[in-house]
Amino acid sequence: MTVTRRKFLVQLAASSGYTAAAAAMATLGLGTSVVAAAAPAAPLQLAPGSGKGLKVLVLGAGIAGLVSAYELRKAGYEVQVIEARDRVGGRNWTIRNGTRIELNDGTTQVADFEPGHYFNAGPARLPSHHQTILGYCREFGVELEAEVNTSRSAYFLPDAAKGGQPIQLRRAINDARGRISELLARATNKGALDEELNAGDRARLVEFLKVYGDLMPQAQFKGSERSGYKVFPGAAEQIGERPDPLSLDALLDPDLWTSLIFDELLIFQPTMLQPVGGMDRIPQAFHQRLKDVVRLNTEVSGIRNQSNRVEVTVRDRRSGKQQTLSADFAITTFPLPVLAKVETNFSPEVQQAISSVHYDTASKIAWQTRRFWETEYQIYGGISVVKHETALIWYPSGGFHKKTGVLVGCYNIGQVARDFTAKPLASQFASSRAVIDRVHPGRGAELQRPVSVAWHKVPYSLGAWVHWATPAEKEYTRLNQPEGRVHFAGEYLSQIGAWQEGAALSAHHAVAAIANRVAAQATSPRAA
Amino acid sequence: MTVTRRKFLVQLAASSGYTAAAAAMATLGLGTSVVAAAAPAAPLQLAPGSGKGLKVLVLGAGIAGLVSAYELRKAGYEVQVIEARDRVGGRNWTIRNGTRIELNDGTTQVADFEPGHYFNAGPARLPSHHQTILGYCREFGVELEAEVNTSRSAYFLPDAAKGGQPIQLRRAINDARGRISELLARATNKGALDEELNAGDRARLVEFLKVYGDLMPQAQFKGSERSGYKVFPGAAEQIGERPDPLSLDALLDPDLWTSLIFDELLIFQPTMLQPVGGMDRIPQAFHQRLKDVVRLNTEVSGIRNQSNRVEVTVRDRRSGKQQTLSADFAITTFPLPVLAKVETNFSPEVQQAISSVHYDTASKIAWQTRRFWETEYQIYGGISVVKHETALIWYPSGGFHKKTGVLVGCYNIGQVARDFTAKPLASQFASSRAVIDRVHPGRGAELQRPVSVAWHKVPYSLGAWVHWATPAEKEYTRLNQPEGRVHFAGEYLSQIGAWQEGAALSAHHAVAAIANRVAAQATSPRAA
């Protein structure tokens, strides 16, 4: 199912073998069969002025909160957004020169990238089909550029224990395709598919496989130009020299498989996009339009449903001053581990749902360094997958050919990330540096100015996302219903968990639910 | 072989069926076996000052000419570049508002795109491994951005005669992979590969295929999320709705196959790049550094080797004034159909080589229009392949979410392009409009301000590129040798024909050959 996709993917890259992979794939394939038929999606449309005279408190200024506030306000609601941090965006957090990273393990880092550089510690890409969040980018004029999620010049690094050398992705991907095509052509020609296919279709299939796998006329695979060159072709008599094709044995290393399918997963398919200058251009664009109603540095300590109001107790983090706010409705967008710490009069069932959902974590490391990957490796953006606790090396999609850039040297999740970030920062950085040096020998020593963000240690986030076992899990279903006058919203309440699109759509869902209540009230005889 | 790759590709897209495809693939696969072992590539390195006191005339200010002049000058040669057009760049031609397109069929078009828009009528992408031309971009500070060559949201349009509806590429690509994986798993489980693989490898292979093709636990293919949704997943209970997987029969349509492998061809693999603002930023950057030695609007009418000089007769196109220039060497970078019209005293063998090589053509059409493909189709860059004389629809890689953009509505080659561009411009535009309307119903009518460029009709180009049958073809070999004091350079004399990289490397080859002659002369006793 949808919400486990990122888990599947990063886990594959980070830690697990093919058994886990197969299990995860099965979950993916089976996910939608456990729930009822789908309803068509409809864009949010609130009647202008329909919220007039009603007040909504929006708790949290991440994407779900900002979208909620923006949409409610457009419909005439009075809105106030309460945010504990000194910035909007929540997990949409772009780190630049001077950004303080204060984790709840007592560590503090201050990024000292050169001006102009940035590091998207949270979301860092926008799939082309995430049209809700992209729609806000369009509406607000947030400038976008292609996010290069895939480079065929990048590498897969096998397990160090297997002693493997880095394998260039163009080689792994195209040799795998060639080997598979050859095997299927051979099996077909042997008669293995005579029951399934008639003679004409078998012939067409073999012709197809020759094109698909770049096979020789007799359907053998002898390597392919698609897999690249040791020496590239040049002028005059300078013909290219190709490496030998990889053996089937090398290709059947389960650690490799993610790299072969990564960019065909729906959320990672081209085209992917990113805001020019950093992902936080999106929350900034909302903030600009909501400046007068967003209250930063304000913690929520209590939420209480009353008969016809909801009361929210807040504390100004600078003055310490406490205050109780009141509104017709509230939307809480806090991650559940944060919400669990807020005192409420919610039903035991809802309190139980909030406190029992397990949040995963994720950690990222970023380095500033010379852009050696471009000049020396022909890598412009994209990801090298490493069989190592740091999981990947992610090259920047912009600023090509500039002198320096920000290289993401770790993006791990789950228990691997918890164990990894339990180590001192210096050990984390050393691990990232060492594996980058295995893929790019001699370059580890050049890496500078690292920062690490471990999401379960980030105050007011306390985690990365939820892995629901099914979209029908009872906590998911329950929290998608309001509790009294309090509605819940966040990526975790969508089928697109861990993505900003999910947060935006969940916000729409909560806003529509409030609007429907208001409309029902207005037409109800009791309200007259 | 390398130089036929574009031919193979565009032909597949434009016109041919699977027999031609298979033949072309075979050529590709076999190409390198007909020539001798490869020599390692070495970057051009001329000793500074080594050209002092020597003059070289560079004929043509396309990429090969500009690179030649730039490198010679760095080594101390006196250089003059002769260019017939009123601009540098040759086939690297970016069309903007006001650009006049005067073809030798007597037609004149003037582009009236809105300011800021551009259309790369010639080269429009830079593969990441084309490090020579990319190296100049780096050296000159030509700003680059990702060129989105592939979007999984784009389409393949089957032959109208087959009545087919557009098929989204994510669906075709991933259903094909799923079907192939299922067939191979089935054949493997039936014992078809028992001779080739031991039991352990067979089991590993089947596990791999489950991941590779997104198969069910029993290795059946029942469709994949990778193939996309009819209704995307959303918030709360909004689960996604998938289309049925495509049948094997639909996938065995040879017209489709190019679309399935396009972005795995080495020259089309991600990451691809483009200069921000238009491809001609590259020749402009050279021009800026060569301004004082480039003579525009100057036609070459004669080239004569003398015993110790080379004489070049030129004519100023504005004044009509004729003049004979003299130098120690010349490098001619004219496309051969242009060079064939120049009077020379070359040997019959060389004259024959020049006049006998067949140049292919290519034609492109560009439209300015509302960017409907983004908002309505989630297409951000990339290419839709159409089984139609116009071959493709190519969406812009930059300016995302702006109001309008330039859409390439035709890129065909060979006889298809000759036939197509023999029609009146209005018919060409109508054809392009009609097929765009088949992929994007209702949008054909919105297309505006078309321009068409047919390269065989462009004065001083007279063609697009050469398809050598093998890299050892005798004209190729001969023209990679100098004729007296005249050296030849151009993409057609490289293994990377039709690409700027080939032009740059061929220029290096010619420049190195001159430098070697000079060095040999200097150390020869006769020179003392």
Side-chain angles (χ1 to χ4, degrees), chain A residues 178 181-182 185-186 210 213-223:
Chain A
S181 297
E182 179 186 45
R186 204 182 301 176
K210 289 184 196 172
D214 200 6
L215 306 183
M216 307 290 281
Q218 300 307 312
Q220 317 96 315
F221 180 64
K222 301 284 189 194

Side-chain angles (χ1 to χ4, degrees), chain A residues 2 5 18 21-22 25-26 28-30 32 35-36 38-41 128-129 131 134 137-138 144-146 148 150-153 170 173-174 177 180 183-184 186-187 190 192-193 195-197 201 204-205 207-212 214 216-217 225-226 228-229 231-242 248-249 252-253 257 260-261 264-266 269-271 273 374-375 378 380-381 400-401 476 480 493-496 505-506 509, chain B residues 2 5 18 21-22 25-26 28-30 32 35-36 38-41 128-129 131 134 137-138 144-146 148 150-153 170 173-174 177 180 183-184 186-187 190 192-193 195-197 201 204-205 207-212 214 216-217 225-226 228-229 231-242 248-249 252-253 257 260-261 264-266 269-271 273 374-375 378 380-381 400-401 476 480 493-496 505-506 509:
Chain A
T2 310
R5 210 168 310 123
Y18 74 99
M25 291 305 295
L28 258 169
L30 284 168
T32 54
V35 287
S128 58
H129 42 89
Q131 283 290 317
L134 286 171
C137 292
R138 189 164 48 237
L144 299 176
E145 64 191 350
V148 180
T150 298
S151 163
R152 288 288 182 266
S153 300
R170 65 165 52 91
I173 287 166
N174 287 292
R177 195 188 284 231
I180 286 167
L183 287 174
L184 182 54
R186 204 182 301 176
K190 275 188 188 174
L193 300 174
E195 285 169 36
E196 286 86 353
L197 305 176
D201 285 348
R204 283 204 296 162
L205 176 61
E207 286 311 306
F208 166 64
L209 292 169
K210 289 184 196 172
V211 173
Y212 194 68
D214 200 6
M216 307 290 281
E225 194 202 47
R226 302 174 194 173
Y229 287 97
V231 177
F232 273 87
E237 70 288 351
Q238 177 65 59
I239 62 163
E241 256 187 90
R242 292 191 204 153
L248 187 64
D249 188 63
L252 291 182
D253 175 2
W257 299 349
L260 303 181
I261 57 142
E264 292 302 344
L265 297 184
L266 184 60
Q269 289 174 0
T271 310
L273 300 160
E374 293 171 354
T375 46
Q378 309 165 355
Y380 294 81
F400 300 128
H401 285 172
Y476 177 91
N480 261 306
L493 291 177
S494 79
Q495 306 285 321
I496 317 160
L505 286 171
S506 176
H509 183 262
Chain B
T2 309
R5 209 167 312 123
Y18 74 101
M25 290 306 294
L28 257 170
L30 284 168
T32 55
V35 287
S128 59
H129 42 89
Q131 282 289 317
L134 286 172
C137 292
R138 189 164 48 236
L144 300 175
E145 64 191 352
V148 181
T150 299
S151 163
R152 288 289 181 266
S153 302
R170 64 165 54 92
I173 287 167
N174 287 293
R177 196 188 283 232
I180 286 166
L183 287 174
L184 183 53
R186 204 184 301 175
K190 274 187 190 176
L193 300 174
E195 284 168 37
E196 286 86 352
L197 304 176
D201 285 348
R204 283 204 295 163
L205 176 61
E207 287 310 306
F208 166 65
L209 292 169
K210 289 182 195 172
V211 173
Y212 193 68
D214 198 7
M216 307 290 280
E225 193 201 50
R226 301 174 195 172
Y229 287 97
V231 177
F232 274 87
E237 70 288 350
Q238 177 64 61
I239 62 162
E241 254 187 90
R242 291 193 205 151
L248 186 64
D249 187 63
L252 290 182
D253 175 1
W257 300 349
L260 303 182
I261 58 143
E264 291 303 343
L265 298 184
L266 185 59
Q269 288 175 1
T271 309
L273 300 160
E374 294 171 353
T375 46
Q378 309 166 356
Y380 294 81
F400 300 128
H401 285 173
Y476 178 90
N480 261 307
L493 291 176
S494 79
Q495 306 285 320
I496 316 160
L505 286 171
S506 177
H509 182 261

